[in-house]
Amino acid sequence: MKRYYIIIAVLLLGATACTKNFEDYNTDNTGVSTGQLKPDFNDVGIYLLQAERSIINFSGGGDPNSYQVQQNLNADLFSGYFMSPNPFNGGLNNTNYFMMTGWNGEAFKVGYLNIMSPISKLRTNRIDTAYPAVWAVAQIIRVAGMSRVTDIYGPIPYSQAGSSKTDLPYDSQEDIYKRFFLELDTATANLQSFINNGDSLPFTFANFDLVYSGNFTKWLQFANSLRLRLAMHIVKADATTAQAQAEKALNPSNGGVITANSGNMNVQLGGSFTNPLVYIDRNWGDTRIGADIACYLNGYNDPRISKYLGMSTDSKITSQYIGIRLGAVTSSNTKDDYLGYSALGSSFSLATPVQIMTAAEVYFLRAEAAVRGWANAGGSAQELYNEGITTSMNQWSATIGSYLSDATSTPAAYVDPKNSANDKEAQSTITIQWDDAASTEVKMERIITQKWIAMFPEGQEAWTEHRRTGYPKLFPVAHNQSSGVVSDAEGVRRLPYPQQEYNTNATELNKGISLLGGVDNAATHMWWDKN
């Protein structure tokens, strides 16, 4: 990992003090003025492409450093998917709950500088009125990207971002989610109008679309799937709104949701860009597989294990699928101690598209909707659960065999061949085969556990679902260096706000912390997190 501790002032998109930062950013990024961009419609494309590449950030010319601190050294860890063998900061860092101020502002910065700013530029260029369907895609990208930001921090500036205010106010997370749903209303209405009327554009939108190559029907299905995801996030905080929004998303008259892997929301790389997770794994050796995902896959004899994981190369433990337990790397370790544990599997390459949402995830969301008795789920919980697993197996070209009828396999215990102090018994006994007679809570654990397996390697949504539901059950951190702030039982619930916010927007930030309902630390639960 490169040393990267400077957080750029990015919040006040229209503020006097910070406008110059954003204008410089846009000018430096293109090298030409907006007027010069217009003839080739690059006043649309350059900003939309940047926002697409920044949901999971690889918009810095292929340098994965931003992604590493945007996601890999927080959500990817806390989701149970990954762990770093590198004892950063003398062994005191996010991996053992010593929260790194210099890392934890990156997701905030990326959200405003790389997503909100270019999309604000699209509105300035009047794309919203000139090409409503293209603006709809921009809105969907903004909701997809900024929902991740609020799910990392809690209250954030949103409704007035891009205004001329000097001090940018924070919105409550409840209000932000309501705004997300309204923006998706506008976006889906515009897309349906464009599709149903057989409208066209004066340029080839595929040139500016790294996800669906200009297919607006697939964008509509992703928008509905995103609405379903966000609705389920808030089910414990506002069950009425959650149900209404989920049923709207699932209503076939609204365009449908993702049902096949051909509709997966994957951002294509193109040019010199590389997959940032794979780069960190292959080129830097700064990330390895987490003990949790390895133990679930091993215990279930899961056919996806060889797709997700590489075998260990350490001379003491060759040819095993073994991860590193969160917090196991301390000041007494060197990077080489755990470098030979499982890395990403051979299914991944530097050219692998960046995964945001899959059909399998949507089937599990629908299965949960069915368990809750909501309308429009489109099948029984068992049917949708089985289809979620099957779709995931097909996504990874894994042979499913008798997996769906396995009623005995359970997650494996963790054994650290190098340090028995890290050994830990399995945290769950949940099996694979659907049991319609099981309690609602057992059904939920089964759905979320398989959903978590299927969403790999996208750690942000996996961490959100773990916080929302408590599933899958993960190993507690091996060494907790939070000085009592974060409990072993609960784990990290959010990231603290960036120091730059304290420096430049302190008055409004303090109001935002008040909306959070707790102190600004990693243990405070946000609005939808009721576990």
Side-chain angles (χ1 to χ4, degrees), residues 78 97 99 150-154 173 236 460 463-471 474 485-496 516 521-531:
F78 308 140
Y97 300 169
M99 305 306 291
T150 187
D151 289 344
I152 290 170
Y153 298 101
Q173 196 170 39
K236 293 184 179 180
Q460 176 59 53
W463 180 37
T464 293
E465 286 296 86
H466 172 69
R467 289 176 291 165
R468 174 178 77 88
T469 66
Y471 303 123
L474 304 177
V485 172
V486 181
S487 74
D488 289 359
E490 291 201 338
V492 172
R493 311 310 293 188
R494 60 179 291 276
L495 297 188
L516 180 64
N521 64 30
T524 298
H525 290 229
M526 57 186 71
W527 169 66
W528 50 253
D529 179 4
K530 302 300 182 181
N531 277 321

Side-chain angles (χ1 to χ4, degrees), residues 171-435:
D171 298 301
S172 72
Q173 196 170 39
E174 181 177 9
D175 286 344
I176 292 166
Y177 264 76
K178 288 177 179 177
R179 195 171 183 90
F180 288 157
F181 294 133
L182 290 173
E183 290 177 8
L184 290 174
D185 286 343
T186 301
T188 54
N190 283 335
L191 287 176
Q192 284 185 293
S193 175
F194 185 91
I195 294 164
N196 294 338
N197 294 336
D199 292 341
S200 61
L201 296 169
F203 55 88
T204 303
F205 184 53
N207 293 339
F208 308 135
D209 180 7
L210 295 170
V211 181
Y212 295 124
S213 299
N215 188 322
F216 286 108
T217 297
K218 288 187 176 181
W219 274 109
L220 177 60
Q221 292 169 349
F222 170 62
N224 289 327
S225 302
L226 178 60
R227 184 192 297 273
L228 178 59
R229 173 196 275 181
L230 297 179
M232 209 62 80
H233 284 182
I234 68 171
V235 68
K236 293 184 179 180
D238 184 350
T240 301
T241 299
Q243 181 174 353
Q245 291 296 328
E247 290 178 346
K248 180 185 287 190
L250 291 168
N251 188 330
S253 68
N254 290 330
V257 293
I258 301 169
T259 58
N261 287 317
S262 59
N264 290 351
M265 205 294 194
N266 294 326
V267 184
Q268 304 298 316
L269 301 172
S272 62
F273 291 104
T274 57
N275 183 298
L277 173 63
V278 180
Y279 192 102
I280 292 165
D281 175 272
R282 300 271 200 274
N283 293 14
W284 291 350
D286 270 357
T287 196
R288 287 293 178 261
I289 298 299
D292 298 280
I293 188 70
C295 287
Y296 273 88
L297 294 172
N298 275 316
Y300 287 156
N301 299 302
D302 195 297
R304 290 164 289 192
I305 194 167
S306 64
K307 310 293 183 178
Y308 288 7
L309 279 57
M311 286 190 172
S312 57
T313 58
D314 190 292
S315 59
K316 295 183 179 179
I317 47 168
T318 54
S319 303
Q320 296 181 40
Y321 293 115
I322 182 165
I324 311 171
R325 187 172 161 197
L326 186 67
V329 178
T330 69
S331 58
S332 63
N333 293 112
T334 67
K335 185 174 178 178
D336 287 343
D337 289 344
Y338 284 95
L339 192 62
Y341 282 40
S342 288
L344 283 171
S346 59
S347 295
F348 295 89
S349 75
L350 290 172
T352 298
V354 173
Q355 176 182 301
I356 306 294
M357 192 177 201
T358 66
E361 179 191 341
V362 179
Y363 278 112
F364 289 117
L365 286 165
R366 292 168 62 188
E368 181 175 348
V371 168
R372 295 184 182 281
W374 294 352
N376 304 323
S380 69
Q382 179 172 355
E383 290 168 337
L384 295 164
Y385 170 84
N386 286 345
E387 191 59 41
I389 295 173
T390 302
T391 301
S392 176
M393 295 284 184
N394 291 339
Q395 177 187 345
W396 294 97
S397 300
T399 303
I400 193 168
S402 59
Y403 191 84
L404 293 176
S405 60
D406 185 343
T408 57
S409 295
T410 58
Y414 181 64
V415 177
D416 186 343
K418 291 196 168 184
N419 186 351
S420 62
N422 294 326
D423 294 356
K424 196 68 178 176
E425 69 277 5
Q427 301 297 289
S428 174
T429 58
I430 196 71
T431 52
I432 300 165
Q433 184 179 35
W434 185 260
D435 178 6

Side-chain angles (χ1 to χ4, degrees), residues 52-66:
E52 285 181 330
R53 287 184 173 120
S54 300
I55 299 171
I56 291 179
N57 192 31
F58 61 97
S59 66
D63 181 354
N65 184 81
S66 178

